[in-house]
Amino acid sequence: MVVTVRSILGLASLPTDRTSATNWLKARNIPTHWGKAIGGKTEFVNLSDLPPNVRRAFNERRIAKTGLSMGRYDEIAHEEFFAAPASLQESAQRKAEIAEALLVMEEGTNWKERIEIIRAKFGNKSTSKPSLLRLLRRIKAVDPINFAPALLPKYRGRRALAATSEQAWSLFLTIIRDAGPDFPIIQAWRDVRDISVKEGWNWPHYQTIYRRWNNLPGEQRLVARYGKGESNKVLSQPALRDKTSINALDWVSLDGRTLDFWVETEDGCTVRLTMIALVDVASNMVLDYELALSENAPSTLRLIKRTCEKYGIFDKLYTDNGSAFAGHLVSGGNAHRFRNKRTMSNGIRPMGICFHLGIKLHFALPANGQAKIAERTFATLSRVIDDRPEFKKAHAGHNPGASPNKNVKPVTLAVAREIIHSEIKRHNNETGRRSQGANKRSYREVFEAGMEQRLTRVPTARQLYLAGLVFTPVAVNRYGQVIVDKWTYGSPTTQSYLLPYHGNGQRILFGRDPDNFAAPAIAFDEDNRLICEAIEYVSRGAYGSKDGIRDAARNRKAARDAVKKAEEANNYLSDSELATYLAMLRGKRPPPTLPDYNSTASAGPAC
């Protein structure tokens, strides 16, 4: 940085006369040169060639003219500043003077007037409002005397450590570790300052400690602020995957998320609904979603079943290990599971929907659910759905345990469904996507193009029926009936199939339609072998009604018919045959068998 010799007259030990000052510089081998200036030629000197005390006095006098509080001079930072190339020094010094001019402006000066004043003095380069705001942010917590070093490109602050007690520095880092993530650095410095006075520790000025803190490696500051767990997440580099190598419905991602707004359901309850969604990994398209009171297995089962009916069976399902997704209803029969690895009581192993439809399950690693495409899709949808103006008064906070207050006005379920459906449709159909393989197409267009290359696996009616059932381990009572959640199933036509499983602590797997418990049920044994199906629900009639009387009569007749058939099938002996064998049991000879003279075949000779 070049300054005139006249501007340094009288600084430190320099003479006040220009000629004497020139001789003083020559005596110390400090080069000078003549150049053009306003009013003719003048003598210049490079500020970095001057002794440190002169350089410091020059900056202090310039700062004093602005009226700003000078602050503490950082000698090492200034040494680094003067060691930088001259072009960088010039740029940093100009920015420092702009910052000083901004700080001394009156508070009532608007930005338009500020910019005009700055440009009139310093020119138009880097004087827009965003540039000036960035400049002010960079000199925040920096003393004015050190503005120029701080604004030097790639400035990292002072690298040399001032005399600091290690015990005090350790206390400083420990306070930051145990305080909240946004705890002010200066407050931690103050705490240590007050203790250092009592302990006799060396504890430098705040600026020195602040620079030392900033010079720490990024990961070291991150661990001190947020701890090991959060730092591991932040520092773990994501694994990049090539989605262009997979086709539509090769991989489908499943996730659920509690919505932030409150909804009034049809029964008058105020709840925060949970949205469970299936997202095609290859295209990012939301295939379907389900609104439920919680993240539960029956809702997940319905969602998967409905999606397979609409688009065909997908190949692989990628999900986290939540109980709704890793339980028996969804993942039963899968070889690798995170939950319910053990069987139910009496060795029963219920098969889930993925088993019946031939879908392979892949679980995200624990605490790594963000790897799912559905998780990232929810991160986008949560802002465009939850923060919509229609839900402004229906919010009570984003925390899962938040409860509504008198100021919360929940929306109706119909409104919530309408807006969610509209936003998901827009999400799928919005063109100009820049995700991997999209090439400015919409997610739906990418999905449809992928479906053209896919051989659709259409689920059979039998698969859909079995996949949509909820299985429960139950016991068979002495009437050959099953009671589940106070619902009774079993008729005379299925009694003979179920009775062998009564008693001895036996259990069977009983499958029902979760959306219609009155529909016929199905039963499997513990080895998942079919026992019988079309097990009818027994509806209770009104007490003393004719329908109840007729039903009871039909049941008694069915029981008599069953007993009669069983009796015929047993092939009993006659009474005389039974008496013969009982006599043998007591050691007596059986009575002689007399000829039957009534029979023509056994008639004797004629008399």
Side-chain angles (χ1 to χ4, degrees), residues 42-343:
T42 190
E43 191 175 17
F44 293 92
V45 65
N46 196 325
L47 192 62
S48 60
D49 293 335
L50 296 173
N53 61 332
V54 178
R55 295 198 303 259
R56 178 172 180 174
F58 175 83
N59 285 304
E60 287 177 348
R61 185 166 68 180
R62 184 180 56 78
I63 295 295
K65 289 180 181 179
T66 64
L68 294 172
S69 176
M70 198 169 304
R72 188 170 181 175
Y73 186 84
D74 192 334
E75 294 184 3
I76 295 179
H78 279 273
E79 289 293 338
E80 294 177 356
F81 173 77
F82 288 114
S87 60
L88 297 183
Q89 291 183 37
E90 292 285 351
S91 175
Q93 187 64 38
R94 176 178 177 271
K95 292 178 181 178
E97 293 178 10
I98 291 175
E100 293 164 5
L102 286 171
L103 292 177
V104 298
M105 289 182 184
E106 296 181 3
E107 293 184 1
T109 308
N110 59 43
W111 271 104
K112 182 179 180 181
E113 295 172 347
R114 292 183 188 185
I115 293 172
E116 289 177 354
I117 295 171
I118 295 297
R119 287 180 175 175
K121 186 175 181 180
F122 300 99
N124 295 336
K125 183 180 179 182
S126 300
T127 55
S128 65
K129 182 179 177 180
S131 298
L132 297 179
L133 287 173
R134 284 194 299 271
L135 185 64
L136 292 175
R137 283 195 295 269
R138 288 190 62 183
I139 54 110
K140 188 177 181 180
V142 178
D143 289 335
I145 192 66
N146 302 318
F147 278 1
L151 293 170
L152 192 70
K154 298 183 180 179
Y155 173 74
R156 297 293 183 186
R158 179 174 173 176
R159 291 179 173 79
L161 298 179
T164 306
S165 297
E166 286 305 313
Q167 189 73 4
W169 179 250
S170 298
L171 175 61
F172 173 74
L173 293 179
T174 306
I175 290 173
I176 293 175
R177 182 198 68 183
D178 292 347
D182 298 322
F183 189 71
I185 296 294
I186 192 170
Q187 190 60 39
W189 174 82
R190 288 170 182 152
D191 290 348
V192 180
R193 177 199 63 188
D194 296 343
I195 296 174
S196 297
V197 173
K198 301 176 181 178
E199 295 291 332
W201 294 338
N202 289 325
W203 190 240
H205 190 268
Y206 169 66
Q207 297 297 334
T208 304
I209 295 299
Y210 185 76
R211 283 190 295 270
R212 180 171 177 178
W213 164 258
N214 279 338
N215 285 336
L216 292 177
E219 58 271 19
Q220 191 171 343
R221 281 181 285 140
L222 191 67
V223 170
R225 277 293 199 188
Y226 299 100
K228 293 190 296 183
E230 188 65 24
S231 300
N232 286 334
K233 292 182 182 179
V234 174
L235 296 175
S236 298
Q237 296 181 347
L240 301 179
R241 298 177 176 87
D242 181 16
K243 293 204 303 179
T244 59
S245 61
I246 60 176
N247 295 319
L249 296 186
D250 280 356
W251 285 86
V252 169
S253 183
L254 171 66
D255 195 24
R257 179 185 171 277
T258 301
L259 301 174
D260 288 341
F261 55 89
W262 293 85
V263 176
E264 184 178 355
T265 59
E266 295 170 347
D267 56 1
C269 296
T270 300
V271 298
R272 283 174 63 182
L273 294 176
T274 295
M275 183 166 72
I276 307 171
L278 283 173
V279 181
D280 178 57
V281 173
S283 63
N284 286 349
M285 175 177 152
V286 179
L287 299 173
D288 204 347
Y289 67 95
E290 179 91 5
L291 292 179
L293 295 178
S294 64
E295 193 175 88
N296 58 79
S299 298
T300 305
L301 186 146
R302 284 194 298 268
L303 175 62
I304 296 175
K305 180 182 175 183
R306 192 168 62 243
T307 301
C308 291
E309 286 180 301
K310 185 174 181 180
Y311 299 107
I313 302 174
F314 48 87
D315 297 336
K316 293 178 280 288
L317 179 65
Y318 190 63
T319 180
D320 58 31
N321 52 81
S323 59
F325 308 146
H328 290 297
L329 292 182
V330 176
S331 65
N334 190 62
H336 305 287
R337 300 167 63 193
F338 281 91
R339 292 178 182 267
N340 298 324
K341 293 182 180 181
R342 297 181 181 178
T343 61

Side-chain angles (χ1 to χ4, degrees), residues 512-523:
R512 299 184 296 167
D513 185 344
D515 297 322
N516 182 14
F517 283 168
I522 191 172

Side-chain angles (χ1 to χ4, degrees), residues 5-6 8-9 14-15 17-34 43-44:
V5 174
R6 290 186 181 277
I8 62 173
L9 296 178
L14 268 167
D17 178 70
R18 189 197 59 79
T19 303
S20 300
T22 301
N23 294 331
W24 187 91
L25 294 171
K26 288 181 180 179
R28 288 161 178 75
N29 296 319
I30 297 175
T32 62
H33 66 277
W34 289 84
E43 191 175 17
F44 293 92

Side-chain angles (χ1 to χ4, degrees), residues 568-582:
E568 292 174 353
N570 286 343
N571 194 22
Y572 293 124
L573 296 177
S574 64
D575 292 343
S576 60
E577 290 174 325
L578 177 60
T580 299
Y581 289 113
L582 291 178

Side-chain angles (χ1 to χ4, degrees), residues 429-435 437-447 449-450:
N429 297 334
E430 185 75 25
T431 57
R433 298 294 188 180
R434 297 179 179 272
S435 59
N439 297 326
K440 297 187 177 181
R441 295 176 294 174
S442 68
Y443 293 151
R444 184 174 294 279
E445 288 173 335
V446 178
F447 176 75

